[in-house]
Amino acid sequence: MKLPVSTEWLLHCATSLAQLEPGATASAAQLADYYDLPAPYLAKQLQSLVKAGVLSATTGPRGGFRLARPPGEITLLQIVEAVDGASSPYECREIRRQGRGALPAEDCLGACVLAVKMAEAHRAWRDSLAGVSLADILSELPSSAPPRTRSLLTGTKDSRPRRSPFG
């Protein structure tokens, strides 16, 4: 299965937005600059996450994008489906019934075994993504990532006290 490049962009953008302080936003231009992406196209793609209820958007000089729900309530599947849809990438066209190798009709009463296996694989892939939230992703990032993201993305410093490297 091959997903559009915008899927990677939006997974990373959502993860970056999840690292911001509550209520903070980042504009499409800031996110585009952060990842060296084309801003107009990224802005259009971010709107798909707004329509899906993953992000909320505000306008104005301090506007931008932020998560619409807590990171624990947003799954990777929701982000992927916002970009790529929910349909299976495999479509059985019943070629087992065509050509010189066509099976007799009585051998095609049940679903094509290949279609069944591909559907099972697609369900497993979806279930795997549905089981991973942005909070899960954040928990696996290095502890230095969120403060760095906040600083570089929005120009704000982390307001939480820093631990000394010496314990």
Side-chain angles (χ1 to χ4, degrees), residues 10-11 14-15 49 52-54 67 69-82 125-137:
L10 294 183
L11 286 165
T15 300
L49 292 183
V54 172
L67 298 183
R69 300 186 310 269
E73 296 178 14
I74 299 171
T75 68
L76 297 186
L77 180 63
Q78 292 167 339
I79 297 168
V80 169
E81 284 186 344
W125 179 78
R126 289 174 46 83
D127 290 346
S128 176
L129 292 177
V132 180
S133 72
L134 284 178
D136 297 326
I137 297 299

Side-chain angles (χ1 to χ4, degrees), residues 19-95:
Q19 295 173 67
L20 299 181
E21 294 289 343
T25 63
S27 69
Q30 287 171 306
L31 289 162
D33 182 58
Y34 189 73
Y35 288 112
D36 194 23
L37 300 172
Y41 188 65
L42 178 61
K44 181 180 176 184
Q45 296 300 312
L46 288 166
Q47 286 302 322
S48 66
L49 292 183
V50 172
K51 287 178 189 167
V54 172
L55 299 182
S56 62
T58 55
T59 57
R62 298 183 55 90
F65 297 92
R66 70 173 150 248
L67 298 183
R69 300 186 310 269
E73 296 178 14
I74 299 171
T75 68
L76 297 186
L77 180 63
Q78 292 167 339
I79 297 168
V80 169
E81 284 186 344
V83 182
D84 200 43
S87 63
S88 174
Y90 183 80
E91 183 180 341
C92 183
R93 301 193 196 299
E94 286 290 337
I95 67 168

Side-chain angles (χ1 to χ4, degrees), residues 104-167:
E106 61 271 11
D107 289 348
C108 297
L109 297 176
C112 171
V113 67
L114 294 173
V116 169
K117 294 301 178 188
M118 294 301 286
E120 288 172 1
H122 183 64
R123 268 191 307 279
W125 179 78
R126 289 174 46 83
D127 290 346
S128 176
L129 292 177
V132 180
S133 72
L134 284 178
D136 297 326
I137 297 299
L138 294 179
S139 73
E140 294 191 34
L141 294 178
S143 61
S144 61
R148 181 181 184 278
T149 298
R150 285 188 285 274
S151 177
L152 293 174
L153 186 58
T154 64
T156 59
K157 298 286 184 203
D158 189 5
S159 62
R160 288 178 275 187
R162 291 234 162 73
R163 284 187 8 210
S164 165
F166 305 106

